[in-house]
Amino acid sequence: NAWVRVDTINGVTFTRDANNNFVQAVNYAFQAGVRDTLVISDATNDASLPVELAFFRGRSNEGKIMLEWRTESETNNAYWLLQRREITADELEKINSGLMKLSDVQSAYVTVNNIRGQGSKTSATEYSQMDTDVKAGKSYAYRLADVSYNGVITYHDDIMIASELPKKFGLRQNYPNPFNPTTTVKFELPVAAKVSIKIYNILGQEVYTLVDKTMGGGFYEAQWNGINKHNAAVASGVYIYRILATSLEGKQRFTQTKKMMIVK
């Protein structure tokens, strides 16, 4: 019997023949004289059957995109490829006006993640994946591909999802609260703005500058680890944090104040 190479992808073991093609493993053995090398004999070709995909959809979720899909059955499905590409403003206008198909978007697909499949299964399976590497206000095309144990890749139809911008300025309550030693402050910008978030003690004295820069519209968060502007730990007690955001053209101005408590 001929020996063939073993590859592991996303926790699934594949083998390749002498021509570097995927094949299905039948019998496992260790080749004599080769230390710590798993090899396979008696490999046979595997003809895969398609996955029955019930739906593939997505939605914007505070600057991230949640993807969900369900299969009614799977046969020899080793893993999924979830892929994304960005749609330009010009392409989006043409798609919405019917002058361009989603499949004609020019940017290359990038792989968001590999998700392990169910192998062979005759009942339904639901999947979900959060894509955090997106920009608020941008539109994206997503596609799924199922990859069989013998390496056959089957692509499914693209879908288009917009990562929505916040509808208004906002400052969230920090969490955890009370906290020790670190807390997170979330805030939203519907447009690009100059942003300042400062922390004060109960006497109104400035303790620390959390954010001070120009930022595009989107959902953001910043962490405070309980230190002051001199890099010294602050005492337990109530502190006040305040956001001041001014749109770049100066027409919109937002300010809001909230309290937080550090307990040591």
Side-chain angles (χ1 to χ4, degrees), residues 2 12 16 30 50 55 82 125 148 180 199 237:
V12 179
R16 298 177 187 266
F30 282 97
F55 64 77
L82 175 61
T125 302
S148 71
N180 180 31
I199 299 172

Side-chain angles (χ1 to χ4, degrees), residues 8-21:
T8 299
I9 302 174
N10 195 37
V12 179
T13 300
F14 297 85
T15 62
R16 298 177 187 266
D17 61 19
N19 296 319
N20 206 36
N21 296 316

Side-chain angles (χ1 to χ4, degrees), residues 167-181:
K167 292 180 172 56
K168 60 182 181 179
F169 289 98
L171 178 66
R172 305 279 187 94
Q173 184 64 52
N174 67 299
Y175 70 91
N177 188 47
F179 69 96
N180 180 31

Side-chain angles (χ1 to χ4, degrees), residues 115-132:
I115 301 95
R116 187 163 188 160
Q118 295 295 310
S120 294
K121 184 180 179 183
T122 57
S123 57
T125 302
E126 294 189 354
Y127 298 87
S128 64
Q129 186 75 30
M130 183 75 79
D131 186 5
T132 60

Side-chain angles (χ1 to χ4, degrees), residues 4-230:
V4 294
R5 196 179 83 208
V6 175
D7 290 317
T8 299
I9 302 174
N10 195 37
V12 179
T13 300
F14 297 85
T15 62
R16 298 177 187 266
D17 61 19
N19 296 319
N20 206 36
N21 296 316
F22 282 105
V23 292
Q24 182 182 18
V26 177
N27 296 319
Y28 292 81
F30 282 97
Q31 184 177 7
V34 180
R35 183 179 179 183
D36 297 331
T37 302
L38 179 63
V39 292
I40 297 173
S41 63
D42 294 328
T44 58
N45 290 329
D46 172 31
S48 63
L49 297 175
V51 166
E52 186 180 357
L53 184 64
F55 64 77
F56 176 42
R57 63 194 180 197
R59 54 187 169 84
S60 180
N61 183 3
E62 295 190 353
K64 302 177 284 291
I65 291 179
M66 172 63 78
L67 289 308
E68 300 170 322
W69 65 100
R70 186 179 74 192
T71 59
E72 298 299 344
S73 64
E74 300 180 33
T75 303
N76 295 329
N77 185 25
Y79 66 98
W80 296 94
L81 289 175
L82 175 61
Q83 298 182 319
R84 174 197 68 234
R85 61 181 173 184
E86 186 174 328
I87 302 171
T88 67
D90 182 61
E91 289 172 332
L92 181 62
E93 183 177 351
K94 291 179 179 178
I95 290 170
N96 289 336
S97 61
L99 299 176
M100 181 178 179
K101 296 180 180 179
L102 186 58
S103 57
D104 294 330
V105 171
Q106 293 300 303
S107 61
Y109 269 106
V110 296
T111 297
V112 177
N113 203 359
N114 298 342
I115 301 95
R116 187 163 188 160
Q118 295 295 310
S120 294
K121 184 180 179 183
T122 57
S123 57
T125 302
E126 294 189 354
Y127 298 87
S128 64
Q129 186 75 30
M130 183 75 79
D131 186 5
T132 60
D133 191 22
V134 293
K135 300 175 184 177
K138 297 289 186 179
S139 293
Y140 298 90
Y142 285 88
R143 71 178 179 185
L144 278 174
D146 60 81
V147 185
S148 71
Y149 284 105
N150 69 338
V152 174
I153 301 175
T154 302
Y155 290 100
H156 300 270
D157 290 342
D158 305 40
I159 61 173
M160 183 173 69
I161 307 167
S163 179
E164 298 177 352
L165 284 166
K167 292 180 172 56
K168 60 182 181 179
F169 289 98
L171 178 66
R172 305 279 187 94
Q173 184 64 52
N174 67 299
Y175 70 91
N177 188 47
F179 69 96
N180 180 31
T182 302
T183 192
T184 298
V185 174
K186 289 188 174 184
F187 57 101
E188 295 96 42
L189 308 174
V191 296
K194 178 69 172 65
V195 182
S196 170
I197 300 179
K198 294 182 181 291
I199 299 172
Y200 302 87
N201 61 24
I202 200 67
L203 299 177
Q205 299 167 326
E206 183 180 324
V207 173
Y208 190 75
T209 298
L210 194 61
V211 177
D212 185 19
K213 61 182 177 180
T214 298
M215 309 176 75
F219 297 84
Y220 296 97
E221 62 181 50
Q223 288 191 328
W224 184 43
N225 58 359
I227 62 171
N228 61 23
K229 56 187 175 182
H230 304 296

Side-chain angles (χ1 to χ4, degrees), residues 169 190-195 214-215 244-254:
F169 289 98
V191 296
K194 178 69 172 65
V195 182
T214 298
M215 309 176 75
L244 173 61
T246 305
S247 62
L248 298 186
E249 78 282 0
K251 294 182 179 180
Q252 300 182 65
R253 188 174 185 273
F254 171 75

